[in-house]
Amino acid sequence: MADDASDSDTLRRIRDVLERAGDAAHAGAPAESAAYRWLAHGFDDPEEIADWLAARCFHPDRAHELERAGLTPEQASLKTSAGRGGYEDTIAYKFAQGDLSLEEARRIVTSDFWNG
């Protein structure tokens, strides 16, 4: 029973983070549905989810890919005009939109590290 209460509390906290982040964070779906998607991709820490949302990564599958590639939300929040689309936004956002490849994201982060 304690696990159910803990799971319910985690879901509520994630849902609250998503609601505070606005419509982009749950793409028009109920915030609770979006919270389940983040959980399904291995994100159970509301603070970490908030960090990904602050980096403008609104898709848990894409945040998971960035994380598996070794990028942190802080790194993914770097602004870039690289990639497709002719606009500047965060690495996370451009990657999530399909306008920046994982290789490009890694290159930008590595370049920022060595030149920053």
Side-chain angles (χ1 to χ4, degrees):
M1 186 68 171
D3 284 340
D4 288 344
S6 176
D7 290 348
S8 178
D9 183 57
T10 299
L11 181 64
R12 179 191 54 76
R13 290 174 48 226
I14 293 171
R15 185 195 67 225
D16 291 348
V17 164
L18 293 166
E19 286 176 345
R20 281 194 302 274
D23 289 339
H26 45 92
E32 188 162 331
S33 296
Y36 279 114
R37 285 196 301 275
W38 282 91
L39 284 168
H41 283 90
F43 294 99
D44 60 2
D45 179 351
E47 290 179 25
E48 181 183 15
I49 293 168
D51 290 344
W52 282 111
L53 296 173
R56 295 185 39 76
C57 190
F58 305 118
H59 304 282
D61 56 329
R62 302 303 266 172
H64 182 76
E65 286 181 66
L66 289 167
E67 188 174 74
R68 286 192 56 185
L71 277 70
T72 66
E74 181 181 5
Q75 293 168 323
S77 69
L78 293 171
K79 295 257 185 168
T80 185
S81 56
R84 293 177 298 283
Y87 65 98
E88 181 179 78
D89 213 311
T90 65
I91 290 171
Y93 183 84
K94 291 193 84 164
F95 177 72
Q97 298 305 308
D99 291 333
L100 191 71
S101 71
L102 196 52
E103 294 75 27
E104 289 170 314
R106 284 186 182 131
R107 242 188 335 269
I108 294 163
V109 169
T110 301
S111 174
D112 183 69
F113 175 79
W114 290 110
N115 298 319

